[in-house]
Amino acid sequence: MSTVEVSLKSLLTEVEGALGAAVVDYTSGMALGTLGGGKDLDLTVAAAGNTDVIRSKMRTMEMLGIQDKIEDILITLGTQYHLIRPVAGQNGNGLFIYLVIDKGRSNLAMARHHLKRTEEQLEV
């Protein structure tokens, strides 16, 4: 099991082209931890904004009667991929991991793999 800090460091060092990562409580919109980012990527603002994305998708699934879980959400920008992965299990209720990677330097499949592994090992 990994702490929030260890999990974020792992993502930023193991995912080629990683620009920033956060663990976020989507009930409050607060980031429990952030790493990376910068002047063009305010992870605190992104965490709050992506809280709306995940809440909206969950509401939509509920309205449609979809009895499944979200594995991840991908937002593709011109130069970046933004990945949102809800944390499963008892420890992760209400949390998601947010990862931003450079589209030109990253392998999306490998990033998703690392994100899944990080989610499985995260202990809050």
Side-chain angles (χ1 to χ4, degrees):
M1 294 308 232
S2 299
T3 65
V4 170
E5 182 180 345
V6 170
S7 294
L8 294 174
K9 282 182 182 176
S10 173
L11 279 172
L12 260 58
T13 58
E14 293 177 12
V15 176
E16 181 74 27
L19 301 173
V23 174
V24 185
D25 178 345
Y26 64 78
T27 57
S28 68
M30 298 292 292
L32 303 180
T34 63
L35 191 62
K39 66 180 177 81
D40 295 329
L41 179 60
D42 185 331
L43 289 170
T44 304
V45 172
N50 284 302
T51 294
D52 292 336
V53 171
I54 200 160
R55 285 181 190 163
S56 178
K57 186 58 188 172
M58 289 179 159
R59 267 192 317 275
T60 302
M61 288 174 58
E62 185 178 323
M63 290 186 303
L64 293 171
I66 298 173
Q67 299 296 314
D68 208 345
K69 68 178 186 109
I70 299 170
E71 188 170 313
D72 62 33
I73 297 170
L74 170 64
I75 300 168
T76 305
L77 304 180
T79 60
Q80 299 172 346
Y81 291 119
H82 292 230
L83 296 112
I84 301 167
R85 185 174 182 97
V87 179
Q90 292 177 330
N91 288 337
N93 194 21
L95 300 179
F96 69 88
I97 303 172
Y98 173 61
L99 175 64
V100 179
I101 60 176
D102 182 285
K103 199 172 170 182
R105 297 185 306 135
S106 300
N107 179 318
L108 181 57
M110 288 304 296
R112 289 183 73 216
H113 172 75
H114 284 295
L115 194 57
K116 179 179 189 272
R117 192 177 73 214
T118 300
E119 177 259 325
E120 291 169 346
Q121 296 174 351
L122 181 65
E123 183 177 287
V124 179

